[in-house]
Amino acid sequence: MSASSSILSRRTALALLAATASGLAGAQSGGKPDTVRIGYQKSSTLIVVLKTQGTLEKLLAPLGTKVTWHEFTSGLPLLEALNLGNVDVSADVADTVPVFAQAAGANLTFVAQEAPSPSAQAIVVRADSPLKTVADLKGKKIGFAKAAGAHYLLIAALEKAGLSFKDIEPAYLSPADGRAAFERGAIDAWVVWDPFLAAVQRQSSVRVLADGRDVASYQRYYLAATPYAQARADVLRVLFAELQKAGAWVKAQPKEAAALLAPVWGLDAATVEQANSRRSYEVRAVVPGSLAEQQRIADAFLSEKLLPRRVNTLDVALFKPGA
């Protein structure tokens, strides 16, 4: 064995040991996890509300459960961490992201779903751009986060305009990198979701070419690693109930919610309120019939050769909050 391959083997072994240790870190002697590791991203509004208010720490302490928080730049790396056993629960990710996780063989349980919010993501161009319609994107460089809802919005909008994904030059960028590239003119258009969408609309001179209405409903999902869901249904029931309460509060008290989130997100309250106005925040249980668009998304990515294999989106476990 060469020195380089020996080093690689040692690194692989260490990585596996680290992943195993991470997966066992929250286990009691009886094997029941006493920690819930929650992964989230900046756009995970309801989870950010619960985190900021310390709600879950208070409610889960009597169940002997601690909470740790782990922030990610977008949904795909978050579900990769879930698949690797580095987090137990994923805050809301766009409907596209579980499709990629399933294709990678992830053992997922769908915990909850937010009702559609189609206008909470959009394709934007600078106000002085010569691009006037989605059809004008042919041959252009477009920035977006891989596997995000924005990715599917772009595919669906291009198809509606008579184009395919191969007709554009993709630039896979995190929201922060996408904003920077957009503002310096390194990309011709940017596909992004709230609150990043509201921020660029309020802070820069932009135009919306298209949003998700009539092409992509943009539902967001909360997930758990199936072994954790099987071991701690009690924790997930608390999470589900509190997500519903938080969603109702954000919609009923938009100014209070914006004031709470603004300093956490590093945005002004008016921008946060605008972003929140486009999200449904209606948290509900996931049932097989509500996954129909998931299959359309999976098939669209497969047809563009962006998925390694066909995915049956019903081949997942569904958490029953009332069980």
Side-chain angles (χ1 to χ4, degrees):
M1 178 182 293
S2 69
S4 60
S5 61
S6 176
I7 291 170
L8 182 60
S9 297
R10 288 198 297 273
R11 286 177 177 169
T12 302
L14 288 171
L16 289 170
L17 285 170
T20 302
S22 178
L24 296 174
Q28 293 177 334
S29 58
K32 189 175 181 180
D34 65 1
T35 298
V36 57
R37 299 164 298 168
I38 300 177
Y40 68 102
Q41 49 184 319
K42 183 169 283 191
S43 57
S44 303
T45 310
L46 304 186
I47 283 289
V48 172
V49 168
L50 298 180
K51 178 179 183 291
T52 303
Q53 295 177 330
T55 304
L56 295 178
E57 285 84 349
K58 296 171 191 173
L59 294 176
L60 295 179
L63 298 180
T65 300
K66 298 172 288 188
V67 182
T68 62
W69 302 95
H70 310 270
E71 186 173 357
F72 294 81
T73 57
S74 61
L76 186 59
L78 171 49
L79 284 204
E80 286 172 346
L82 187 71
N83 187 26
L84 290 170
N86 294 327
V87 295
D88 304 305
V89 173
S90 162
D92 54 308
V93 296
D95 40 18
T96 54
V97 185
V99 167
F100 281 81
Q102 282 184 264
N107 190 8
L108 304 175
T109 292
F110 280 59
V111 176
Q113 174 193 67
E114 284 184 16
S117 303
S119 62
Q121 54 178 358
I123 304 170
V124 297
V125 296
R126 290 173 294 281
D128 60 356
S129 170
L131 306 178
K132 303 299 181 185
T133 69
V134 173
D136 295 332
L137 295 175
K138 185 174 183 178
K140 303 302 181 184
K141 189 173 185 178
I142 306 171
F144 55 93
K146 186 176 183 179
H151 194 162
Y152 177 66
L153 169 59
L154 178 59
I155 290 174
L158 289 171
E159 182 181 9
K160 187 178 179 182
L163 302 175
S164 77
F165 193 70
K166 297 180 183 65
D167 289 319
I168 59 98
E169 181 184 350
Y172 296 124
L173 300 167
S174 69
D177 290 340
R179 173 74 180 266
F182 180 70
E183 294 192 333
R184 70 173 182 267
I187 53 177
D188 299 295
W190 187 32
V191 197
V192 72
W193 61 96
D194 279 318
F196 310 105
L197 173 60
V200 76
Q201 284 180 300
R202 294 183 63 86
Q203 297 165 3
S204 300
S205 185
V206 303
R207 282 186 289 109
V208 171
L209 282 190
D211 61 22
R213 286 173 287 191
D214 300 323
V215 288
S217 65
Y218 189 47
Q219 300 175 93
R220 295 182 68 90
Y221 290 90
Y222 299 81
L223 302 106
T226 294
Y228 186 87
Q230 292 171 340
R232 297 306 309 257
D234 55 340
V235 170
L236 297 186
R237 280 192 289 271
V238 170
L239 175 63
F240 184 90
E242 294 309 311
L243 287 170
Q244 285 191 316
K245 291 176 187 176
W249 177 75
V250 170
K251 298 307 283 187
Q253 305 292 337
K255 293 193 181 301
E256 281 186 49
L260 175 75
L261 291 164
V264 179
W265 283 353
L267 298 170
D268 63 276
T271 298
V272 175
E273 190 172 351
Q274 178 177 328
N276 286 346
S277 71
R278 293 188 288 227
R279 289 274 295 275
S280 73
Y281 296 128
E282 179 190 337
V283 176
R284 56 196 186 185
V286 183
V287 297
S290 68
L291 293 174
E293 189 173 25
Q294 290 292 98
Q295 193 62 56
R296 291 195 295 274
I297 290 169
D299 293 344
F301 279 117
L302 183 66
S303 69
E304 295 289 354
K305 296 182 172 53
L306 297 169
L307 275 187
R309 63 181 180 88
R310 190 179 189 279
V311 166
N312 179 358
T313 57
L314 293 178
D315 190 20
V316 292
L318 304 180
F319 178 68
K320 298 178 181 178

